[in-house]
Amino acid sequence: MTTRLRIAVIGAGYWGPNLARNFRGSPDWELVTICDLDASRARRVADQVGLDRIDTDLAVVLADPGIDAVAIATPARTHHDIARAALEAGKHVMVEKPLADTGERGRAMVSAARERGLVLMADHTYCYTPAVLKMRELIEEGTLGEILYVDSTRINLGIVQPDVDVFWDLAPHDLSIIDFILPGGLRPTTVSAHGADPLGAGKSCVGYLMMPLTGGAIAHVHVNWLSPTKIRQMIVGGTKRTLVWDDLNPQQRLSVYDRGVDLGLQAVDGAERRDATVSYRLGDTWSPALPEREALGAMAQEFADSIRETRAPRTDGRAGLRVLSVLEAATRSLAGGGAVTHVDDPIDLASELELAGGAR
């Protein structure tokens, strides 16, 4: 029987309890401690999962030779410092989204993990749901054909975050999914972002993000904290079929439509031009059967497998960098009134950082 790896959860706020519950119940992991500056909060989470040990000093956790890895569930502005300290202590690291609060800090984390031969994993939870895994499979096998567009909506009456705008709060989910399901990942060259602050909160509470994809395709992401209705939906249109993911419909999360528009070619006066009329394709609709499994359980298993197999996890640090590069470009676009803004290539930047010996 494979020996279980030992992990500490850092942060007992909103997401920490979910991580603690899944690592506690995983056959791959032994949950050692919950670490939080607030002892009462750490104790509350520890009691929920039946754990005795808690810590309020991160240094104590990182100095423990019996701990193999840490899962970080703290505010984004703290991710870099905690992750770098953990990596320097020889611990594998999993970080909730976003990977860091800036691309520079994210790249420094990726570089530090690479230098030490440790796993750095982005907790892009949705990428481990049965629905998103199936979406990736269908696209890989060519069921949809060439991708034409991705249209994603994530809106609800949510909490106005004190430290980030709606793009940095909600869009990482959609961007990480797009990065996961598209062959080659998320590599737009430009981004255009438009935001509104009707509450006077000092940050965008409603946002629209547009970016070109390879092959002439386009992606659009709509995020909103102010909607009275909750929608979690993504439409991926292809030349053969269209896929609709509705995360709030447990009976039919995925639907595949063999429907679309075909543009024929006709010859006029010896020259070819697009037909003035379109041909509508009306085929079957079907819904793939999906297993029932909690995404965080699959994420915990992937983290363990990547450590044991000495390989990058499916959502590694570079996946986190690709999401960060789009978020940073979106922020620059917002500052420019929605101007089309260049997206830095996170892989090139990570390579440059490695050659330079790491960021400070």
Side-chain angles (χ1 to χ4, degrees):
M1 183 176 179
T2 303
T3 303
R4 290 193 297 170
L5 296 163
R6 306 181 81 235
I7 192 166
V9 170
I10 312 300
Y14 170 72
W15 197 240
N18 295 319
L19 293 175
R21 175 172 52 81
N22 278 272
F23 282 116
R24 182 67 162 169
S26 171
D28 297 299
W29 292 97
E30 177 186 344
L31 179 61
V32 176
T33 184
I34 308 295
C35 180
D36 195 282
L37 293 173
D38 186 331
S40 62
R41 187 163 59 184
R43 171 49 58 197
R44 189 160 53 249
V45 175
D47 289 344
Q48 289 172 1
V49 298
L51 186 68
D52 291 331
R53 178 176 168 182
I54 65 167
D55 288 279
T56 57
D57 188 346
L58 178 63
V60 172
V61 175
L62 299 185
D64 187 337
I67 294 176
D68 301 299
V70 299
I72 301 172
T74 58
R77 65 181 182 277
T78 68
H79 288 179
H80 168 266
D81 290 350
I82 296 174
R84 285 292 295 268
L87 291 166
E88 289 169 3
K91 315 297 184 188
H92 301 283
V93 174
M94 191 278 295
V95 187
E96 72 164 326
K97 63 86 183 172
L99 184 69
D101 59 341
T102 70
E104 181 181 7
R105 290 180 174 180
R107 291 188 291 273
M109 291 159 62
V110 170
S111 179
R114 185 192 299 114
E115 290 169 0
R116 292 164 176 80
L118 296 168
V119 169
L120 173 63
M121 180 175 181
D123 177 16
H124 292 167
T125 309
Y126 275 99
C127 298
Y128 297 94
T129 62
V132 174
L133 287 167
K134 188 65 176 181
M135 291 169 69
R136 175 179 166 126
E137 177 187 324
L138 291 171
I139 292 172
E140 280 184 341
E141 66 187 24
T143 299
L144 305 187
E146 297 297 319
I147 302 302
L148 301 176
Y149 67 90
V150 180
D151 197 346
S152 190
T153 303
R154 183 172 298 272
I155 65 176
N156 61 275
L157 197 61
I159 299 172
V160 176
Q161 300 294 334
D163 54 345
V164 294
D165 64 16
V166 70
F167 290 99
W168 282 78
D169 181 38
L170 298 183
H173 293 303
D174 306 272
L175 295 174
S176 65
I177 293 169
I178 296 171
D179 178 69
F180 187 73
I181 65 176
L182 293 184
L186 184 62
R187 301 286 182 86
T189 55
T190 60
V191 163
S192 177
H194 296 267
D197 179 20
L199 297 182
K203 64 196 72 178
S204 294
C205 298
V206 181
Y208 299 87
L209 180 66
M210 296 183 65
M211 51 194 165
L213 303 175
T214 56
I218 190 170
H220 174 262
V221 177
H222 174 204
V223 287
N224 187 346
W225 281 329
L226 309 181
S227 170
T229 58
K230 184 175 183 178
I231 299 175
R232 299 281 186 272
Q233 186 179 79
M234 182 176 290
I235 303 173
V236 185
T239 53
K240 295 180 180 178
R241 297 175 183 85
T242 296
L243 177 65
V244 177
W245 171 51
D246 184 353
D247 192 45
L248 302 184
N249 183 356
Q251 283 74 41
Q252 191 170 325
R253 293 193 195 277
L254 284 186
S255 299
V256 181
Y257 294 83
D258 188 10
R259 303 177 186 177
V261 176
D262 295 324
L263 293 176
L265 286 174
Q266 66 176 4
V268 178
D269 296 329
E272 287 189 342
R273 70 174 178 84
R274 290 290 178 184
D275 198 346
T277 59
V278 296
S279 173
Y280 293 96
R281 186 178 68 257
L282 300 176
D284 293 334
T285 301
W286 56 283
S287 181
L290 300 173
E292 288 296 328
R293 184 181 183 186
E294 186 171 359
L296 279 176
M299 181 277 301
Q301 180 180 338
E302 172 67 3
F303 190 26
D305 288 348
S306 65
I307 293 170
R308 289 175 176 145
E309 297 167 13
T310 320
R311 61 168 174 83
R314 279 184 161 182
T315 54
D316 62 1
R318 290 194 170 197
L321 288 183
R322 289 192 291 272
V323 171
L324 275 179
S325 68
V326 174
L327 291 173
E328 288 199 315
T331 298
R332 296 194 298 271
S333 177
L334 283 173
V340 175
T341 303
H342 175 73
V343 179
D344 294 327
D345 187 332
I347 305 306
D348 287 347
L349 288 170
S351 300
E352 290 172 8
L353 178 67
E354 183 179 14
L355 292 172
R360 296 293 181 263

